[in-house]
């Protein structure tokens, strides 16, 4: 069975050093019934320090948080974060993505867009949000608008007049600080979808966009992922009449704990057994790099309806908490949730995946996702080692210049991407630093 989701591209501007739009394409331009993502599952982003690689991954995290966190823009820490990260020249952060959804008998392509900037109050708010859809079986099909909001007002929504009135009531005065997607899903009433009308189409479109955001795994640093867990739980409990449709995306087994990951500190008691299984998989993973590891043990302290969990690595002669492990092993543990998600069919973004990882391990991990992974893996890196494998796939290597110019790698006769990159032969990426340049700074 094909993956339910495939990310086609993302476009980002107005974040950190990125002023103008930077677009990452994960697939070729033509989407039709012959769509095949088999050789388009991995992407590496290379570039100089400060070129904006981390900004691209951060932008994906902002999108995810905006959709699944009901209070994201109202939190002071978010406002402070955006004040630091939104580009000081543009003063507006813009994010857009296109993704394909494989339904049983058809493919649909969705385009989601959001723009965040400061309002009259001096706080960051949603200035624009929109979702469009088109048939993914034919290259010449055009988008139609699902919903569109601007400056806190709902300009358009594709639904019946009755539901439009209900939506207006539920979203009044909230669209500047909350995503329409979150407001709509969390306020759905049963009778709104009691028959097959435009409302049903609206539900499907908004729902798949929400589930896409839930399927993302983003690694920037250690992240608490409990928002994902609570969002999935609420969705499963709130929509009895759409249960079959929801199970198509989440699976028929009760697998909410998969949203937590092994790095989650708080685990609900009802999902502790699944969490233990995931930690068992983590143990097998780390044993590849540390053969003398016996097990990874869970230190679980009861706290009401949940456990507060910590992980200890057991080597027989000694036991060590994961936080006191070597930097490389600790990095592998933190990356495990992203790797596990991408192996199952989800979409993972990892910033500086090569940091603290042995070059041999890094290359073999990337090869696994190229040949065996079911999802998508996008990562930033400085390590040129994986280029020899990545060049065999399509759209797998992008170079980002210091002026935010994105250069996809294309075949150049016998030239290799690693030699071109190392020798300054990639457009706008002249690595013209010489050893003598440091003389006079550090001395001869």
């Amino acid at each position: 069975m094909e993956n339910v989701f495939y990310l086609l591209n993302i476009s980002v501007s107005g974040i950190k050093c990125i002023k103008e739009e930077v677009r990452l394409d994960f697939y070729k331009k033509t989407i039709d019934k012959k769509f095949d993502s088999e050789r388009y599952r991995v992407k590496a982003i290379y570039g100089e320090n400060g070129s904006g690689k981390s900004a691209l991954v951060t932008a994906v995290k902002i999108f995810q948080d905006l959709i699944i966190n009901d209070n994201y823009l109202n939190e002071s820490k978010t406002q402070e974060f955006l004040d630091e990260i939104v580009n000081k020249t543009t003063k507006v952060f813009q994010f857009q993505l296109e993704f394909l959804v494989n339904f049983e008998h058809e493919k649909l392509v969705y385009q989601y867009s959001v723009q965040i900037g400061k309002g009259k109050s001096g706080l960051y708010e949603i200035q624009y949000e929109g979702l469009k859809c088109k048939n993914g079986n034919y290259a010449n099909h055009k988008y139609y608008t699902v919903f569109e909001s601007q400056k806190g007002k709902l300009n358009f929504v594709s639904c019946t007049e009755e539901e439009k009135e209900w939506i207006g009531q539920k979203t009044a005065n909230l669209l500047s600080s909350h995503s329409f997607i979150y407001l709509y899903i969390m306020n759905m009433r049963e009778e709104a979808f009691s028959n097959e009308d435009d409302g049903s189409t609206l539900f499907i479109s908004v729902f798949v966009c929400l589930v896409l955001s839930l399927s993302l795994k983003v690694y920037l640093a250690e992240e608490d992922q409990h928002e994902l867990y609570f969002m999935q739980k609420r969705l499963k409990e709130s929509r009895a009449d759409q249960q079959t449709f929801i199970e198509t995306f989440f699976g028929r087994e009760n697998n909410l704990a998969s949203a937590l990951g092994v790095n989650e500190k708080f685990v609900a008691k009802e999902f502790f057994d699944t969490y233990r299984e995931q930690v068992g998989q983590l143990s097998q993973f780390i044993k590849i790099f540390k053969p003398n590891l016996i097990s990874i043990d869970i230190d679980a302290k009861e706290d009401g309806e949940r456990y507060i969990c910590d992980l200890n690595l057991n080597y027989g002669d000694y036991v060590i908490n994961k936080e006191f492990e070597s930097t490389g092993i600790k990095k592998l543990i933190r990356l495990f949730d992203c790797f596990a998600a991408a192996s199952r069919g989800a979409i993972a973004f990892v910033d500086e995946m090569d940091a603290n990882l042995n070059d041999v391990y890094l290359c073999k991990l990337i090869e696994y996702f190229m040949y065996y992974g079911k999802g998508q893996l996008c990562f930033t890196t400085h390590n040129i080692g994986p280029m020899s494998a990545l060049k065999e796939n399509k759209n797998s290597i992008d170079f980002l210049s210091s002026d935010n110019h994105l250069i996809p790698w294309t075949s150049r006769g016998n030239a290799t991407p690693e030699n071109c990159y190392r020798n300054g032969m990639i457009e706008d990426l002249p690595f013209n630093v010489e050893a003598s340049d440091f003389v006079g700074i550090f001395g001869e």
Side-chain angles (χ1 to χ4, degrees), residues 75-323:
E75 294 176 350
S76 59
K77 65 178 182 180
T78 300
Q79 292 292 327
E80 292 171 3
F81 169 70
L82 292 174
D83 221 23
E84 292 292 332
I85 206 168
V86 172
N87 183 272
K88 299 301 184 290
T89 301
T90 66
K91 299 180 180 180
V92 173
F93 165 71
Q94 296 187 84
F95 180 84
Q96 180 176 289
L97 59 78
E98 285 187 296
F99 62 96
L100 181 143
V101 182
N102 277 308
F103 290 102
E104 188 175 348
H105 300 296
E106 67 175 338
K107 293 179 173 66
L108 294 178
V109 176
Y110 290 91
Q111 182 189 81
Y112 173 85
S113 306
V114 66
Q115 176 179 303
I116 297 175
K118 283 190 175 180
K120 294 180 180 179
S121 64
L123 298 176
Y124 284 95
E125 59 185 34
I126 299 172
Q127 297 179 341
Y128 175 87
E129 186 181 24
L131 181 64
K132 298 179 180 180
C133 179
K134 69 177 179 180
N135 190 306
N137 291 322
Y138 304 98
N140 59 350
H141 273 208
K142 304 297 183 182
Y143 277 113
Y144 68 84
T145 301
V146 177
F147 78 85
E148 183 179 75
S149 69
Q150 193 167 16
K151 296 181 178 179
K153 295 183 179 180
L154 190 60
N155 292 344
F156 177 83
V157 59
S158 178
C159 62
T160 62
E161 289 299 321
E162 178 188 7
E163 192 182 3
K164 191 179 297 183
E165 181 180 353
W166 169 75
I167 291 172
Q169 295 172 358
K170 295 296 182 180
T171 61
N173 303 317
L174 293 173
L175 290 172
S176 292
S177 57
H178 295 76
S179 166
F180 173 88
I181 292 172
Y182 180 90
L183 292 173
Y184 178 77
I185 293 292
M186 290 300 106
N187 286 289
M188 286 186 304
R189 63 179 184 182
E190 297 293 329
E191 61 267 26
F193 305 102
S194 57
N195 51 58
E196 295 296 323
D197 57 16
D198 289 342
S200 172
T201 303
L202 175 63
F203 165 74
I204 292 172
S205 298
V206 174
F207 180 79
V208 296
C209 192
L210 175 67
V211 177
L212 172 78
S213 69
L214 288 168
S215 73
L216 293 171
K217 285 286 186 181
V218 183
Y219 177 89
L220 286 162
E222 267 198 301
E223 300 281 355
D224 289 328
Q225 295 295 321
H226 50 269
E227 296 98 337
L228 302 178
Y229 160 73
F230 287 117
M231 176 64 79
Q232 285 197 20
K233 187 175 177 65
R234 272 183 264 180
L235 281 170
K236 277 203 164 185
E237 291 176 348
S238 65
R239 294 300 303 161
D241 62 323
Q242 293 286 348
Q243 197 64 31
T244 301
F245 178 76
I246 290 173
E247 287 174 348
T248 300
F249 291 90
F250 287 135
R252 296 188 180 278
E253 69 280 4
N254 197 359
N255 64 349
L256 293 177
S258 64
L260 297 171
V262 298
N263 289 285
E264 180 58 59
K265 187 173 184 179
F266 303 105
V267 179
K269 289 182 177 179
E270 60 184 310
F271 299 121
F272 186 74
D273 287 342
T274 305
Y275 174 75
R276 184 187 289 115
E277 291 177 10
Q278 293 173 332
V279 173
Q281 292 173 352
L282 171 65
S283 180
Q284 295 176 36
F285 175 65
I286 298 300
K287 280 182 181 180
I288 295 174
F289 312 98
K290 301 276 283 190
N292 59 330
L293 177 69
I294 295 175
S295 64
I296 297 181
D297 303 327
I298 305 171
D299 179 11
K301 294 182 174 60
E302 195 169 0
D303 182 38
E305 295 301 314
R306 64 182 185 178
Y307 291 111
I308 301 175
C309 297
D310 207 355
L311 300 181
N312 296 314
L313 283 79
N314 184 349
Y315 293 95
D317 295 337
Y318 68 97
V319 176
I320 186 171
N321 184 273
K322 70 172 185 177
E323 290 306 313

